[in-house]
Amino acid sequence: MTWTEILGMLVWTGAGGILLFILMWIDSLFTKYKDITEIKNGNIAVTTRFVMKLFAQGYILSQSIITSNLLWTALLVSVLSFIILFLLERIVEWLLKQVAGLDLEKGTQEGKVAHAMMAGSFHLVGALIIAACL
């Protein structure tokens, strides 16, 4: 491994980490609660949902890096994937609320891990599907 490859790995990893931080911050702006505050207070449900969403975004980023020759392409694919997952999450959560009376966001905030697991699983499944398309 050359120094250039090591430097490239550091740059790609750093850029990916910054992007993941930004995406998770943006995601937290759209929840009815404050993710970090809930996590600090020991809300396992919020932590579970957050970790599952972070893993999903990280997986998509890793797959986009594998298939991209350019850093900017990999980052763009991750941003577009985030938008797709965000929209799908909103649609599915709205449908579940309307059809089944299941409010995943409220349940997650209340500490119901089952709600968080269901919400997070949508991201994991979505990430697997998106990654397969790359």
Side-chain angles (χ1 to χ4, degrees), residues 65-108:
I65 288 171
I66 288 171
T67 60
S68 299
N69 291 324
L70 299 172
L71 175 61
W72 300 112
T73 304
L75 298 178
L76 178 61
V77 167
S78 289
V79 170
L80 293 175
S81 298
F82 172 80
I83 294 168
I84 291 168
L85 285 176
F86 179 81
L87 293 174
L88 287 175
E89 175 190 30
R90 294 295 171 183
I91 292 168
V92 170
E93 286 187 358
W94 181 81
L95 285 172
L96 283 173
K97 194 173 184 179
Q98 299 304 312
V99 174
L102 184 61
D103 189 340
L104 295 180
E105 189 168 24
K106 182 180 177 196
T108 300

Side-chain angles (χ1 to χ4, degrees), residues 23-91:
L23 293 178
M24 294 308 292
W25 176 73
I26 290 170
D27 180 72
S28 72
L29 296 176
F30 290 94
T31 58
K32 294 177 183 172
Y33 51 86
K34 301 295 179 214
D35 287 337
I36 300 303
T37 302
E38 292 290 332
I39 291 169
K40 283 180 184 178
N41 291 335
N43 188 327
I44 300 298
V46 171
T47 304
T48 300
R49 177 189 168 273
F50 187 89
V51 168
M52 291 175 81
K53 290 181 86 165
L54 179 60
F55 180 82
Q57 285 304 134
Y59 183 72
I60 291 169
L61 178 60
S62 73
Q63 295 306 300
S64 67
I65 288 171
I66 288 171
T67 60
S68 299
N69 291 324
L70 299 172
L71 175 61
W72 300 112
T73 304
L75 298 178
L76 178 61
V77 167
S78 289
V79 170
L80 293 175
S81 298
F82 172 80
I83 294 168
I84 291 168
L85 285 176
F86 179 81
L87 293 174
L88 287 175
E89 175 190 30
R90 294 295 171 183
I91 292 168

